[in-house]
Amino acid sequence: DVDGLMENVAAVTNFLASQTDDPRGAMHLVPTREGKSYWKDESGGCWRMYEFVEDSICLQSPESDQDFYESAIAFGRFQQQMASFDAATLHETIPNFHNTPERYRQFRETVAADPMGRCKDVKNEIKFALAREAEAGSLRSMQERGELPLRVTHNDTKLNNVMLDAVTRRALCVIDLDTDMPGLSLYDFGDSIRFGAATALEDERDLSKMEMSLHLFRIYTRGFLTACPGLTAAEKAMLPMGAKLMTLECGIRFLKDHLDGDRYFSIHRPGQNLDRARTQFRLVADMEEKWDEMASIVAEEAKKTTS
């Protein structure tokens, strides 16, 4: 749905630009001569253009704690700037993207079908996932009850989607807005922790190397709350749950794809999606062990931004 996707991108970039005086503070689409947000060629190929972000850099991974902090500033600022935008007006370009209960329904279907005959070898992983199904819908239920506000979410909150000033290394703007959709602020925060606070690669085979760094969790939480003081009390309280559920959801997606025959996520070796699932489940278990500490960090950092 290129039209829907580009309507989202145009709406979000235009709104972000209205919220800042810094020309580098938002991406700027260059319209076609007909005033459209993209151009389609004779073969159906779609093309768009952005203004270049001058004197900026983009990092694949943080080179310091400050880099990670600046990514939190960028995505927290994104939430704060978009707070008054009606998220319901955006297209849901990937239906049920973070509908965790629906992800579980699909996972159960795959387990029941066992198309590749792999379930017998991953009984422990299936058991781990299903043992946590009851809480999978907690955030969505809170949203339906009106306890969590619908917000514009980026849905790919990695450092390499942030432009930094080439000299100061300060966050300028977020890029790659193709997955902007209606959702919860906790999705963006949670995915940042899932990816950025992990101590090993996503497909690490040695699970002893994988944990969630409380040090990095605090750094990101501090930056996110500093840049987004407008989060509600309920949103702040549920930040740890956002981290846990985004990690759990990603884990069941990896495991489902392994059981399906690796049809969605690209793999470069046999068993890679299973390894990815195992690292995510290890992160979930580690978060559970550190739950009280995570909650304390959020409370401490939230107090700093309101005092």
Side-chain angles (χ1 to χ4, degrees), residues 42 78 113 118 158 170 179 233 241 243-244 252 266 281:
E42 295 79 2
F78 175 84
R118 292 176 173 178
K158 299 182 179 70
R170 300 290 186 183
T179 50
M241 184 58 74
K244 179 179 176 179
I252 65 171
S266 298
F281 292 163

Side-chain angles (χ1 to χ4, degrees), residues 249-268:
E249 179 186 288
C250 199
I252 65 171
R253 290 179 65 197
F254 284 139
L255 184 55
K256 176 185 182 300
D257 201 35
H258 171 74
L259 298 177
D260 270 335
D262 308 298
R263 297 188 302 168
Y264 184 83
F265 296 105
S266 298
I267 61 170
H268 306 291

Side-chain angles (χ1 to χ4, degrees), residues 212-245:
M212 191 212 65
S213 165
L214 286 171
H215 171 67
L216 293 175
F217 179 80
R218 182 182 290 277
I219 287 173
Y220 195 90
T221 300
R222 178 177 298 162
F224 195 81
L225 291 178
T226 296
C228 189
L231 290 182
T232 67
E235 286 177 297
K236 294 174 184 177
M238 296 302 289
L239 288 176
M241 184 58 74
K244 179 179 176 179
L245 286 191

Side-chain angles (χ1 to χ4, degrees), residues 6 19 24 32 71 88 103 105 138 147 158 174 187 201 217 256 269 273 282 284:
M6 287 307 300
Q19 302 296 302
R24 299 187 298 166
T32 68
S71 74
R103 294 289 189 184
R105 186 193 66 76
S138 58
E147 297 169 13
K158 299 182 179 70
V174 298
Y187 297 161
L201 295 176
F217 179 80
K256 176 185 182 300
R269 55 177 170 76
N273 276 323
R282 174 68 192 110
V284 169

Side-chain angles (χ1 to χ4, degrees), residues 108-121:
R108 281 187 172 276
E109 283 187 354
T110 298
V111 170
D114 194 13
M116 306 300 293
R118 292 176 173 178
C119 283
K120 65 182 184 299
D121 300 318

